[in-house]
Amino acid sequence: ASVNHTTKGGLFTFTGNISISQNLDNVIRGFCEAKIPNANLNIIGDGSTLEQHKQLVTLLGCENVIFHGRLPYQQMQDILKQSDYLVLSLVPTAGIDKTEPFKIQSYLKSGRPIYGIIRGAGKDIIEENQLGYCSDPNDIQDIAKGFNCMMNIPVEEKECIKMRASQLM
């Protein structure tokens, strides 16, 4: 399995269920707002809001958001490792904020920087372990800024993130 690659290390990947709770509406709006010419946002998965998100991308005229649909679970680690950054997003609600996102384990296994568009337990894991960057899930401008911040993580820091992630496994 292969995901679209860009020239300068700007491949963001979201994997999982595509539903309202994933907050992909704001993720897509923020990514399009960031206007990073050499970056792609790959969305891998299926769910109840997939068509709605495809329509949003068309409406925004954002050509570098690519939907791959559902891919076999066995291919996920390869896909995550081909990515430069992994997107972890959830809507901010009191209940969701308390839970540790299940997919953070597979994200850690890949050793890639994590962009958390999230509050609560998920944000705490990313920030306390210096695994990437987090933005306010309700603030499109902050999300856009975060995509740009992720693009500016130096190579040395990416190596440190990989080591820190492996220690959490």
Side-chain angles (χ1 to χ4, degrees), residues 8 20-21 34 37 39 52-53 58 61 65 69 75 88 93 98 102 104 133 135 162:
K8 204 173 158 227
I20 290 172
S21 64
Q52 176 185 320
H53 294 309
T58 303
V65 177
Q75 294 178 5
L88 183 64
T93 65
K98 289 184 186 126
F102 179 72
I104 206 160
Y133 186 84
S135 288
K162 190 175 189 171

Side-chain angles (χ1 to χ4, degrees), residues 10-29:
L11 186 59
F12 290 88
T13 301
F14 169 91
T15 64
N17 185 31
I18 298 175
S19 68
I20 290 172
S21 64
Q22 304 302 319
N23 200 21
L24 282 173
D25 222 50
N26 285 356
V27 172
I28 291 166
R29 288 177 189 281

Side-chain angles (χ1 to χ4, degrees), residues 115-166:
Y115 180 25
I117 302 171
I118 193 170
R119 284 193 328 207
K123 178 182 180 184
D124 293 345
I125 292 167
I126 294 166
E127 289 184 345
E128 287 167 15
N129 297 289
Q130 298 175 311
L131 299 171
Y133 186 84
C134 290
S135 288
D136 179 340
N138 288 326
D139 184 338
I140 305 298
Q141 294 306 314
D142 193 43
I143 295 169
K145 180 181 148 219
F147 276 110
N148 280 296
C149 288
M150 292 297 289
M151 290 286 293
N152 292 319
I153 295 176
V155 175
E156 310 77 56
E157 178 58 17
K158 287 180 184 177
E159 284 304 310
C160 292
I161 287 171
K162 190 175 189 171
M163 282 183 357
R164 290 191 288 265
S166 70

Side-chain angles (χ1 to χ4, degrees), residues 50-104:
L50 179 62
E51 287 310 312
Q52 176 185 320
H53 294 309
K54 285 180 177 180
Q55 289 169 7
L56 176 63
V57 168
T58 303
L59 181 75
L60 295 172
C62 194
E63 292 178 15
N64 49 352
V65 177
I66 299 126
F67 293 91
H68 296 272
R70 177 174 288 200
L71 296 175
Y73 180 77
Q74 299 81 354
Q75 294 178 5
M76 277 310 125
Q77 269 313 308
D78 282 348
I79 288 167
L80 294 177
K81 286 180 178 168
Q82 289 173 40
S83 304
D84 298 300
Y85 315 97
L86 305 177
V87 177
L88 183 64
S89 61
L90 287 169
V91 292
T93 65
I96 289 176
D97 286 352
K98 289 184 186 126
T99 61
E100 179 182 309
F102 179 72
K103 75 173 127 189
I104 206 160

